């Protein structure tokens, strides 16, 4: 918790207002962990209030069974947790990730529909979950050009169209790309990746 508080101090010093956390590893007592996480989130909000820092805390859902093995986790559990925190007066928000939702075996747009009241930040990320023997299996932040992965540029374009319908007009939605470069020339690689996503690259900023 001291690390989180020092990060909040750095946010204040740098004029930032958003702080992202994860739930941590799932263990043998998920219910007890949820209670402990509630107390931790309350402590963060209380600390921020004491520093007069109007922070927005975002909780990123991760996979619960594959790589990260986090408590949150399944969309339904995340929604329940956020609703509990909000009922206690803490306006926790969610960050959804295409790879993590796929790793949970869930449909991304269905997950977004369930979390939309609490979510305005999305990560476009890829994963390979079809072959456990593949060295790139799991949540390795692959590019969208990799074969046998969940998210091709075409599949992301379909998701983007669904997001446009779910977040019309002035509804806030920020999309971040999460990709690791495994090529010798990162600039050429990311230029090529960006060009492969015309639904994003040709959209006015």
């Amino acid at each position: 918790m001291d690390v989180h508080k020092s990060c909040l101090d750095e946010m204040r010093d740098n004029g930032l207002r958003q702080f992202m956390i994860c739930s941590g590893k799932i263990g043998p007592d998920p219910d007890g962990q949820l209670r402990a996480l509630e107390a931790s989130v309350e402590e963060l909000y209380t600390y921020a209030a004491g520093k007069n820092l109007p922070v927005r805390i975002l909780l990123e859902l991760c996979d619960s069974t594959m790589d990260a093995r986090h408590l949150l986790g399944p969309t339904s559990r995340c929604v329940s947790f956020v609703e509990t925190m909000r009922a206690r007066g803490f306006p926790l928000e969610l960050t959804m990730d295409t790879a993590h939702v796929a790793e949970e075996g869930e449909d991304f747009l269905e997950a977004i529909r369930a979390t939309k009241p609490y979510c305005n930040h999305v990560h476009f990320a890829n994963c390979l979950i079809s072959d456990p023997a593949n060295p790139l299996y799991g949540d390795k932040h692959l590019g969208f050009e990799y074969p046998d992965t969940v998210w091709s540029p075409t599949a992301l374009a379909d998701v983007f169209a669904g997001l446009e319908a779910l977040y019309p007009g002035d509804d806030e939605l920020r999309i971040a790309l999460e990709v690791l470069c495994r090529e010798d020339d990162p600039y050429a690689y990311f230029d090529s990746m960006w060009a492969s996503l015309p639904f994003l690259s040709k959209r006015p900023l």
Side-chain angles (χ1 to χ4, degrees):
M1 186 56 66
D2 287 343
V3 171
H4 288 77
K5 291 177 179 178
S6 68
C7 288
L8 286 173
D9 291 338
E10 288 187 32
M11 284 182 58
R12 177 199 59 212
D13 296 341
N14 288 282
L16 304 176
R17 292 293 180 267
Q18 296 190 33
F19 184 62
M20 184 177 294
I21 62 173
C22 295
S23 64
K25 298 285 187 180
I26 191 169
D29 180 19
D31 290 339
Q33 285 182 274
L34 284 170
R35 291 192 295 271
L37 185 58
E38 287 176 24
S40 295
V41 171
E42 178 177 356
E43 187 174 345
L44 285 177
Y45 275 107
T46 301
Y47 181 82
K51 296 283 186 172
N52 197 29
L53 176 59
V55 64
R56 291 170 63 180
I57 299 179
L58 286 70
L59 172 70
E60 181 176 5
L61 287 68
C62 294
D63 74 88
S64 63
T65 61
M66 192 168 292
D67 272 336
R69 294 183 171 87
H70 275 203
L71 176 67
L72 305 173
T75 297
S76 60
R77 186 184 294 165
C78 295
V79 169
S80 177
F81 181 78
V82 169
E83 289 176 346
T84 295
M85 297 310 303
R86 288 183 168 228
R88 294 177 55 187
F90 304 108
L92 187 64
E93 301 175 45
L94 290 174
T95 292
M96 300 297 289
D97 184 298
T98 53
H100 299 160
V101 171
E103 289 154 11
E104 287 296 290
E106 300 177 352
D107 178 87
F108 186 73
L109 288 177
E110 288 183 6
I112 285 289
R113 290 186 188 98
T115 58
K116 183 179 183 292
Y118 321 114
C119 174
N120 53 36
H121 188 192
V122 166
H123 291 165
F124 278 0
N126 202 6
C127 57
L128 192 157
I129 58 177
S130 59
D131 180 11
N134 192 308
L136 296 175
Y137 177 75
D139 191 34
K140 302 298 191 297
H141 290 90
L142 302 174
F144 306 111
E145 78 283 0
Y146 277 79
D148 302 321
T149 53
V150 173
W151 297 108
S152 66
T154 300
L156 278 183
D158 291 340
V159 164
F160 185 78
L163 290 174
E164 284 189 305
L166 285 168
Y167 289 83
D170 294 332
D171 281 7
E172 179 188 3
L173 179 65
R174 289 167 288 112
I175 298 175
L177 297 177
E178 285 196 335
V179 175
L180 291 177
C181 176
R182 292 173 169 83
E183 304 294 333
D184 292 335
D185 186 341
Y187 294 99
Y189 176 74
F190 286 119
D191 283 345
S192 175
M193 183 193 69
W194 187 239
S196 75
L197 306 172
F199 57 93
L200 291 178
S201 61
K202 295 182 180 179
R203 185 178 177 85
L205 297 177

